[in-house]
Amino acid sequence: MGHTSLDKIIALQRNPANIRNLCILAHVDHGKTTLADCLVASNGIISGRLAGKLRYLDSREDEQIRGITMKSSAISLHYRNGDQEYLLNLIDSPGHVDFSSEVSTAVRLCDGAIVVVDAVEGVCPQTQVVLRQAWLENIRPVLVINKIDRLIMELKLTSQEAYTHLQKILEQVNAVTGTLFTSKVLEERAEKEKIEERESGTLSGDQVYDWSAGLEEADDSHLYFSPDQGNVVFASAIDGWGFSIQQFAHIYSQRMGIKTEVLLKTLWGDFYLNAKAKKIMKGAQAKGKKPLFVQLVLDNIWSLYDAVVTRRDKEKVEKVVTSLGVKVMARDSRHSDPKVLLSAICSQWLPVSQAVLSMVCEKLPSPLDMTAERVEKLMSVGARRFDTLPQQTQELKRAFLQCSSSENVPVIIFVSKMFAVDTKALPQNRQRPLTQEEIAQRRELAKQRHADRMAADQRAAENHKELTHSGTPQEGQPAGVSTAQMESLTLKDSKPAEEETFIAFARVYSGVVKKGQRVFVLGPKYDPAQALNMLPEKYSASDCVPEVPHLSCCSMESIYLLMGRELEELEEVPAGNVLGVGGLEEYVLKSATLSTSPACPPFTPLNFEATAIVRVAIEPKHPSEMPKLVRGMRLLNQADPCAEVLIQETGEHVLVTAGEVHLQRCLDDLRDRFAKIEISASKPIIPFRETVIRPPKVDMVNEELGKQHKVAIIHQMKEEASQGRSSDTLHVDPSGLVTLTTPNRLATVSVRAIPLPQEVTRLLEISSELIRTLEQVNMSLREGKNLDISLSTVEAITELKGQLESLLQGRKWRNTVERIWAFGPRRYGPNILLNSVEGYQRPSVWQCLSRGDKVGEAGAQATVLRDFDNSIVSGFQLATLSGPMCEEPLMGVCFSIERWDIQSSAASQKQDSMEKDSISNEAVVEIKVEGSSETTPQAGGIASGPSQARRRPDVSSADCYGPVSGQLIAAMKEACRHAFQAQPQRLMAAMYTCEIMATAEVLGRVYGVLGKREGRVLHEEMKEGTDMFIIKAVLPVAESFGFADEIRKRTSGLASPQLVFSHWEVISSDPYWVPTTEEEYLHFGEKADSANQALKYMNAVRRRKGLYVEEKIVEHAEKQRTLSKNK
Ligand SMILES: Nc1nc2c(ncn2[C@@H]2O[C@H](COP(=O)(O)OP(=O)(O)OP(=O)(O)O)[C@@H](O)[C@H]2O)c(=O)[nH]1
Ligand SMILES: [Mg+2]
């Protein structure tokens, strides 16, 4: 097939029924890009010979070198299926975990996906993740089982064994889909019941709870992958072949005279051919017969490989070639590598592109088939319900479903990422092949100019040489172009442009996008309801910029067709297509929604599976180049969906990435493209968490601790007291209750730190998004606003509360959940502030669940306290943000406030303007109220006068400490820190899980590396049908750098692990442990720092942050010298 012309593609873009937007998803190295090559070759963009070797869509140099994809890239292909012509907008995605955010950006723009699975490795962790991602975005998948050649050549399976193996893989994939489906059905059923319950009042008493309901009714057969459904292709992308059973059904229906429909149903499954009776029978396995699939399909392929590759039987090959009716060129059959001949035969016999593309056209939905469910999901952000959106917004749903390109529908575009291209590579700046006339014309011009130049001085001639030299000559371009190149270069030199241009990777959901059109850019927090109130009716984006929050206007400077490494400029793009948009870099950071209608809501944010965890500090080699670095980092931030760039309080420029490989790519990009300077990066900054634990029973040397420990704490506190840390404002009692008074002695808080059970911490951690929503709801309730939250959010919150209640059982935790005051840090972290103050009542954090219920009338004291409620919360937030061990965030700590007094003058300071009678009848009035209640905090000292000051020294001195709320924050923070220190403290390390596939020979070495790096093997199993072992292990992030490389080296590349962030784990050793007995001294040395991993980590963090580190650098220098006798 020849090269598809641009005009053809433009024409196809207008017919959404024949458009397929799809991406290729898989675990790393399962052959996505190789498969994409075969599809690209079918359009003549690359040669068929190079397909599979070129990896055309891996256009970056580092992608080619490392052999993995790092960025998703799109290409538009044309395919004729029967009498219909299709436009396929294909996106290749990376499979490495570090780049899973690129997968999210690709999946959002598609309606379908090709999921590729390696026939040997089967379902891998990332396969499950991509299936889930496809599911979450409601896009339909089809399956390609790739690398079947490995079953023949590497595993040397017989065709029968291969069949069993393939069946297993299908089962595995379907099991993943099944789980996703079941959970969704159950969720939906629960939701439906809830609604019914609400509508019908109460449930009837005798209703039986039927847990299977819903599952049976729901038809899920279309979801599963099965060759007879036509949604599975078996392929070897590298050898260029692939087939679905449809193809074989056609072949054999002609040859054997069996109906195609019959073959379609029987080619896959437990059927066999009874040659005598000329019948297809069931029960091949039971009768020990060859299944049809083996006999009619696999055997052919196996014997072809046998003849061509294994035995190199020329005669047989010739026979096969003639029987298949394919043409083989002489140079292919003479080639020393038999694989060349093989792929020459196979790619004509069973071209993989045909099998895959016809499956795509038949089985994947077009943009017109978008479901209402998916539209609602896209349009309702966060906790909001779709039906609470303004009417005009809800009407837009129709525009999505119609996917119309008429002039009067609103334009809706979603930008899922921004990517940078070299400005020189833009079509505007690139030469196109010239027409003959133009060439002639230019030649004349050039000749003339050349003559002029010759006459000019020597320098001009030199310039000329240089310029012609630096233009990269393009292959196959007609003569005379070099002059054109020269021209364009001189032109560009005259106006220095940005070297990188950002293009938005986007899709049109409705309307026609035209070059130069003006649209609204809707920020993620944009609220259409608010905007519709503020904007005049029929407001359009071409009017001047309105003053609406999170709304701006921009124009589409240029729009492009994405063609892999190239871009083609277009004038307009109709609905249903993927496109590139230029000129948005000022308006869009990473993703955005664009529309001509202000009623359009911003789309739900992308689901990112990766957690950015690896951070490094970056600085330029030459300090003077700082501005360049800052600019470069800004560009990098925009160009990568997942990388984060921030400036820490310390002034360091920090880059946060998803993993080691991602980090490497970001640094390369920064160095070579965005900053173009030498940079140095710090060692990865490893995050830790600080926590407290229940008093342990044994110490470092496994000795019973018993009472000894308590003694240690008291000892520690005494020490602190002697150092002056425990002053008269601080009191720590032996049970760990810390009481702290503000410097002005007006307020006192008593706090105790309690370790949260592990499951609670984990629950809080996974529910952080929900807690954040809860906090937002509470905030708006406090402001007196009413937020419409969706039923599912309310339900999720109720469920969270229920789970917390069931986890926090026992005497110690009685009524805890109701008493939760706040979560922290940042108001949604995994620590709890608990209200254990007797008689103090405040609205519960769960108040959104019981709206309308009045909080019990509190006493007067409580009202005073209520005013300072926020200070306590702020103090708690600060304390949990950075702990006392090494200023890392806390995790899994509950701070229970057991007492809290504020003397009323403090309160009156705050309420200076409203004189309250309640103050005077306060229980804790110890000081005279009248005087201070009239004074403002600032002028307090002056107004109270010298005589009063003499009488009440406490109060007057109090005033110089500033506002009470501020003091209370500081006091609360300090109290929390002391309470924390009064318990056994521990560090928590971030852990990765990894799954390593290794053969038996290298298993030992894998264990060796894991052991050295403090990894722990969770389980090990043998992969059925192969000699591979799958080892699942956890490994501290701190020990993970270079892990993948080391494993790869030690096993000669046979095992390559992928690290995924999993959880936080308490490091069992106590960083503050010091040896106390003689034996321990001998064993651990005086400071016990050799074996203490926690201490090592803690000191490393402290050193990095410039905190005080207690360590001796040289110990017993003299002694050491005398030890070595040789000197
Ligand atoms: N034997 C065999 N090898 C294959 C086949 N398809 C791809 N490969 C090889 O598998 C390796 C990975 O192929 P890629 O296409 O880069 O894999 P990918 O899925 O794009 O990898 P990422 O993009 O990094 O996730 C390459 O070395 C290919 O040559 C196949 O059908 N058979
Ligand atoms: Mg790839």
Side-chain angles (χ1 to χ4, degrees):
M1 195 189 291
H3 201 308
T4 312
S5 71
L6 187 59
D7 296 336
K8 176 129 216 169
I9 290 195
I10 293 175
L12 287 169
Q13 280 190 332
R14 303 222 137 256
N15 179 11
N18 283 7
I19 296 177
R20 300 287 180 271
N21 295 313
L22 69 148
C23 50
I24 311 186
L25 308 175
H27 187 78
V28 65
D29 262 2
H30 281 196
K32 296 174 287 296
T33 314
T34 311
L35 178 65
D37 254 13
C38 299
L39 307 186
V40 171
S42 75
N43 268 232
I45 297 168
I46 59 172
S47 117
R49 281 172 178 281
L50 289 178
K53 295 165 196 86
L54 197 59
R55 288 191 289 120
Y56 179 73
L57 292 181
D58 283 354
S59 49
R60 297 166 52 101
E61 198 183 330
D62 47 358
E63 288 179 325
Q64 288 287 343
I65 294 171
R66 271 183 177 258
I68 61 170
T69 308
M70 300 187 183
K71 289 259 172 200
S72 44
S73 47
I75 191 159
S76 296
L77 300 175
H78 158 246
Y79 180 68
R80 176 183 280 280
N81 188 36
D83 56 349
Q84 294 281 321
E85 298 211 60
Y86 289 88
L87 174 67
L88 309 164
N89 296 316
L90 178 79
I91 308 178
D92 179 32
S93 72
H96 194 283
V97 260
D98 280 13
F99 306 111
S100 66
S101 55
E102 289 279 340
V103 178
S104 318
T105 60
V107 167
R108 171 56 66 87
L109 303 188
C110 295
D111 303 306
I114 302 178
V115 175
V116 180
V117 174
D118 184 327
V120 173
E121 297 191 355
V123 171
C124 288
Q126 215 51 25
T127 316
Q128 299 184 2
V129 171
V130 295
L131 279 170
R132 210 175 90 89
Q133 263 175 329
W135 183 269
L136 285 178
E137 288 280 352
N138 296 41
I139 71 172
R140 196 175 303 157
V142 288
L143 186 68
V144 171
I145 301 187
N146 190 28
K147 304 202 187 181
I148 306 252
D149 61 300
R150 289 183 69 190
L151 299 181
I152 311 174
M153 305 304 299
E154 272 178 44
L155 299 190
K156 306 223 180 320
L157 301 185
T158 64
S159 51
Q160 175 75 42
E161 286 163 346
Y163 171 66
T164 326
H165 186 84
L166 291 173
Q167 268 182 323
K168 286 233 175 67
I169 290 181
L170 266 178
E171 270 167 31
Q172 288 171 355
V173 181
N174 284 332
V176 178
T177 315
T179 329
L180 292 168
F181 177 72
T182 321
S183 64
K184 181 176 161 223
V185 171
L186 293 179
E187 226 166 69
E188 266 172 9
R189 201 204 58 207
E191 182 120 332
K192 212 158 72 191
E193 264 174 18
K194 231 356 176 251
I195 295 170
E196 276 167 10
E197 202 177 304
R198 278 187 194 201
E199 280 167 0
S200 66
T202 48
L203 276 173
S204 53
D206 55 357
Q207 184 163 348
V208 184
Y209 193 73
D210 177 11
W211 58 271
S212 66
L215 262 185
E216 278 160 14
E217 301 157 22
D219 177 27
D220 56 353
S221 60
H222 63 282
L223 287 173
Y224 294 112
F225 299 104
S226 172
D228 50 6
Q229 295 268 341
N231 56 8
V232 180
V233 159
F234 302 91
S236 163
I238 202 128
D239 293 338
W241 59 264
F243 62 88
S244 58
I245 59 168
Q246 273 74 359
Q247 274 163 295
F248 277 95
H250 284 297
I251 295 175
Y252 285 107
S253 74
Q254 288 166 4
R255 205 181 283 175
M256 300 176 19
I258 306 175
K259 272 194 200 145
T260 321
E261 297 85 69
V262 176
L263 277 170
L264 274 178
K265 286 209 184 90
T266 52
L267 257 180
W268 179 261
D270 196 23
F271 299 96
Y272 71 97
L273 192 67
N274 187 334
K276 268 191 211 146
K278 299 213 164 173
K279 265 187 183 166
I280 293 175
M281 323 272 275
K282 215 174 162 19
Q285 203 180 4
K287 295 195 186 122
K289 303 269 185 187
K290 256 191 194 175
L292 268 190
F293 188 72
V294 177
Q295 190 182 354
L296 299 185
V297 181
L298 292 186
D299 275 353
N300 288 319
I301 295 169
W302 255 246
S303 63
L304 184 66
Y305 269 79
D306 182 58
V308 180
V309 187
T310 320
R311 286 197 281 124
R312 298 197 178 197
D313 185 341
K314 280 232 170 84
E315 274 172 37
K316 181 131 191 246
V317 171
E318 248 158 54
K319 247 196 229 157
V320 172
V321 166
T322 35
S323 78
L324 291 175
V326 297
K327 286 199 188 70
V328 177
M329 277 194 272
R331 65 167 173 178
D332 285 337
S333 52
R334 277 201 307 269
H335 204 284
S336 59
D337 184 1
K339 282 269 191 161
V340 174
L341 176 59
L342 184 80
S343 59
I345 299 174
C346 289
S347 55
Q348 289 177 62
W349 177 36
L350 298 168
V352 60
S353 59
Q354 197 186 334
V356 172
L357 294 181
S358 59
M359 168 168 77
V360 161
C361 295
E362 279 156 27
K363 294 293 162 189
L364 293 185
S366 77
L368 290 177
D369 301 329
M370 191 181 287
T371 59
E373 180 192 13
R374 180 161 180 219
V375 176
E376 288 184 16
K377 215 163 158 186
L378 284 178
M379 288 174 79
S380 27
V381 176
R384 288 201 73 139
R385 271 200 326 250
F386 181 76
D387 53 11
T388 63
L389 293 169
Q391 198 54 41
Q392 279 160 287
T393 307
Q394 291 192 36
E395 276 165 18
L396 284 180
K397 181 172 158 185
R398 214 165 15 145
F400 275 95
L401 295 177
Q402 281 176 341
C403 190
S404 152
S405 312
S406 80
E407 295 292 331
N408 47 17
V409 295
V411 172
I412 302 172
I413 303 167
F414 183 73
V415 175
S416 77
K417 71 167 184 177
M418 299 289 280
F419 64 96
V421 292
D422 193 342
T423 307
K424 288 197 213 95
L426 289 181
Q428 300 90 305
N429 306 334
R430 201 179 53 200
Q431 293 92 46
R432 305 175 163 281
L434 302 168
T435 58
Q436 283 302 326
E437 287 144 44
E438 275 176 314
I439 292 172
Q441 208 178 6
R442 291 212 177 187
R443 198 176 291 143
E444 277 311 305
L445 268 175
K447 265 186 197 161
Q448 201 174 353
R449 220 175 305 133
H450 193 65
D452 292 349
R453 285 256 167 89
M454 291 298 276
D457 63 10
Q458 191 66 26
R459 244 184 84 220
E462 267 171 22
N463 268 350
H464 174 195
K465 247 189 223 160
E466 233 173 61
L467 284 171
T468 357
H469 205 69
S470 59
T472 43
Q474 281 192 2
E475 227 178 281
Q477 267 180 346
V481 169
S482 67
T483 348
Q485 258 172 3
M486 202 169 73
E487 248 169 74
S488 74
L489 272 167
T490 22
L491 241 171
K492 252 184 284 153
D493 284 351
S494 61
K495 60 163 196 209
E498 291 271 334
E499 288 173 352
E500 299 287 339
T501 305
F502 279 91
I503 308 284
F505 194 61
R507 167 170 172 177
V508 192
Y509 286 85
S510 157
V512 189
V513 187
K514 295 203 173 75
K515 189 174 165 179
Q517 190 174 31
R518 281 188 72 76
V519 289
F520 292 112
V521 181
L522 316 169
K525 286 192 184 157
Y526 171 74
D527 180 4
Q530 186 190 11
L532 289 174
N533 280 339
M534 291 169 75
L535 291 173
E537 231 171 272
K538 298 258 180 245
Y539 193 85
S540 94
S542 44
D543 300 329
C544 62
V545 182
E547 285 290 313
V548 177
H550 313 295
L551 180 74
S552 54
C553 298
C554 73
S555 59
M556 311 270 207
E557 277 175 24
S558 37
I559 47 182
Y560 302 101
L561 176 71
L562 302 170
M563 287 301 283
R565 301 179 182 193
E566 321 238 311
L567 298 168
E568 299 288 347
E569 203 166 14
L570 296 177
E571 287 303 313
E572 56 177 47
V573 175
N577 284 290
V578 173
L579 80 167
V581 186
L584 296 180
E585 60 248 60
E586 303 280 315
Y587 304 95
V588 178
L589 181 63
K590 292 184 187 216
S591 65
T593 313
L594 311 177
S595 176
T596 51
S597 159
C600 181
F603 281 28
T604 39
L606 298 164
N607 299 309
F608 284 140
E609 297 272 336
T611 333
I613 192 147
V614 178
R615 17 174 94 210
V616 289
I618 294 186
E619 58 181 25
K621 275 259 162 64
H622 306 290
S624 63
E625 289 176 328
M626 198 64 187
K628 278 192 189 162
L629 177 72
V630 172
R631 195 179 148 271
M633 287 182 81
R634 208 192 65 230
L635 295 179
L636 175 69
N637 188 28
Q638 192 166 22
D640 193 297
C642 177
E644 266 177 70
V645 166
L646 25 113
I647 301 178
Q648 283 195 324
E649 303 95 83
T650 49
E652 283 175 312
H653 290 263
V654 171
L655 176 66
V656 194
T657 59
E660 229 184 327
V661 186
H662 186 210
L663 171 69
Q664 199 52 48
R665 203 213 64 211
C666 287
L667 291 181
D668 287 347
D669 271 354
L670 204 53
R671 210 171 281 136
D672 305 336
R673 299 181 67 179
F674 299 132
K676 293 211 156 112
I677 53 168
E678 280 295 299
I679 50 174
S680 55
S682 70
K683 277 208 190 126
I685 301 171
I686 297 141
F688 286 97
R689 294 287 183 265
E690 302 181 13
T691 192
V692 290
I693 54 162
R694 301 253 286 283
K697 298 220 164 56
V698 290
D699 70 359
M700 280 276 284
V701 281
N702 273 336
E703 272 175 16
E704 282 277 332
L705 271 174
K707 291 231 170 77
Q708 198 188 337
H709 188 73
K710 271 202 175 137
V711 177
I713 286 183
I714 294 166
H715 175 75
Q716 191 183 342
M717 278 183 313
K718 268 192 196 145
E719 214 170 273
E720 277 173 7
S722 66
Q723 287 167 0
R725 275 176 66 188
S726 174
S727 59
D728 49 350
T729 55
L730 172 70
H731 176 79
V732 186
D733 83 357
S735 69
L737 183 71
V738 172
T739 307
L740 195 83
T741 312
T742 53
N744 64 1
R745 323 246 154 171
L746 290 184
T748 309
V749 277
S750 300
V751 183
R752 186 194 302 281
I754 311 164
L756 284 173
Q758 240 177 32
E759 307 79 55
V760 176
T761 315
R762 191 152 304 168
L763 177 66
L764 291 180
E765 206 190 350
I766 54 173
S767 324
S768 69
E769 266 312 304
L770 186 63
I771 298 177
R772 199 201 294 233
T773 315
L774 175 71
E775 182 59 33
Q776 274 164 2
V777 175
N778 282 343
M779 191 88 89
S780 54
L781 280 180
R782 237 173 283 146
E783 286 167 7
K785 275 195 282 183
N786 214 346
L787 213 66
D788 278 313
I789 45 174
S790 66
L791 203 58
S792 59
T793 315
V794 172
E795 223 164 76
I797 294 175
T798 319
E799 193 187 330
L800 173 68
K801 190 179 171 198
Q803 278 173 321
L804 277 177
E805 269 162 0
S806 67
L807 289 175
L808 290 170
Q809 294 277 338
R811 199 171 51 85
K812 196 167 66 175
W813 299 112
R814 190 170 303 147
N815 276 339
T816 308
V817 180
E818 275 303 329
R819 289 188 284 127
I820 292 177
W821 193 329
F823 299 93
R826 299 198 179 87
R827 295 182 175 265
Y828 57 85
N831 301 286
I832 291 179
L833 179 66
L834 204 61
N835 173 18
S836 311
V837 183
E838 225 166 274
Y840 174 52
Q841 290 192 338
R842 63 183 304 284
S844 141
V845 285
W846 310 109
Q847 59 182 329
C848 63
L849 296 181
S850 53
R851 244 178 293 164
D853 292 8
K854 275 270 166 267
V855 185
E857 203 42 58
Q861 161 74 6
T863 9
V864 178
L865 292 178
R866 276 289 285 136
D867 293 328
F868 291 99
D869 191 280
N870 240 333
S871 301
I872 294 289
V873 176
S874 304
F876 163 73
Q877 301 297 342
L878 286 176
T880 46
L881 194 60
S882 58
M885 296 171 79
C886 49
E887 306 294 333
E888 289 286 287
L890 304 191
M891 184 165 196
V893 187
C894 167
F895 288 106
S896 162
I897 306 231
E898 309 209 336
R899 233 185 63 213
W900 178 25
D901 300 321
I902 290 197
Q903 303 192 356
S904 35
S905 80
S908 62
Q909 269 192 11
K910 181 152 183 183
Q911 303 159 346
D912 50 355
S913 54
M914 342 169 232
E915 289 188 24
K916 286 214 166 177
D917 333 333
S918 60
I919 297 166
S920 53
N921 55 37
E922 238 332 293
V924 261
V925 184
E926 287 175 11
I927 39 161
K928 244 169 102 189
V929 174
E930 309 91 80
S932 52
S933 69
E934 282 150 23
T935 59
T936 56
Q938 295 86 1
I942 308 157
S944 52
S947 62
Q948 270 180 338
R950 225 180 301 119
R951 268 193 290 136
R952 290 184 284 109
D954 270 355
V955 177
S956 65
S957 62
D959 294 331
C960 71
Y961 293 107
V964 179
S965 55
Q967 286 187 44
L968 195 58
I969 293 176
M972 177 61 193
K973 179 185 169 197
E974 274 312 301
C976 288
R977 284 174 81 102
H978 285 290
F980 182 89
Q981 284 173 314
Q983 304 293 332
Q985 311 165 53
R986 290 292 184 275
L987 270 190
M988 290 178 93
M991 302 296 276
Y992 277 136
T993 50
C994 64
E995 215 166 86
I996 309 171
M997 231 185 269
T999 52
E1001 304 95 72
V1002 296
L1003 207 56
R1005 286 187 225 149
V1006 171
Y1007 277 110
V1009 178
L1010 271 174
K1012 200 177 83 190
R1013 293 174 175 263
E1014 319 254 333
R1016 205 170 61 232
V1017 175
L1018 298 182
H1019 64 80
E1020 172 203 298
E1021 63 181 83
M1022 187 138 181
K1023 192 140 194 148
E1024 270 178 74
T1026 69
D1027 59 347
M1028 299 274 218
F1029 284 88
I1030 304 173
I1031 304 156
K1032 197 160 180 194
V1034 289
L1035 179 82
V1037 174
E1039 305 290 337
S1040 69
F1041 296 95
F1043 173 72
D1045 268 345
E1046 190 175 345
I1047 287 266
R1048 222 171 290 137
K1049 268 188 213 130
R1050 297 282 304 245
T1051 61
S1052 339
L1054 287 175
S1056 62
Q1058 290 217 66
L1059 301 168
V1060 191
F1061 173 72
S1062 132
H1063 65 286
W1064 295 90
E1065 200 168 288
V1066 176
I1067 303 174
S1068 61
S1069 51
D1070 177 3
Y1072 292 108
W1073 184 80
V1074 281
T1076 42
T1077 64
E1078 192 77 15
E1079 265 173 41
E1080 288 169 4
Y1081 266 128
L1082 275 177
H1083 200 270
F1084 292 104
E1086 190 185 339
K1087 294 219 60 74
D1089 47 7
S1090 55
N1092 196 335
Q1093 200 65 28
L1095 181 66
K1096 255 191 236 164
Y1097 290 149
M1098 187 174 90
N1099 281 345
V1101 177
R1102 292 191 71 99
R1103 216 170 287 128
R1104 194 188 79 224
K1105 294 187 174 173
L1107 302 169
Y1108 172 68
V1109 179
E1110 203 176 294
E1111 62 183 353
K1112 286 180 194 161
I1113 295 170
V1114 178
E1115 291 182 41
H1116 315 302
E1118 306 253 315
K1119 239 188 197 165
Q1120 280 171 359
R1121 206 179 305 140
T1122 50
L1123 270 177
S1124 60
K1125 284 178 184 156
N1126 295 347
K1127 280 185 187 166

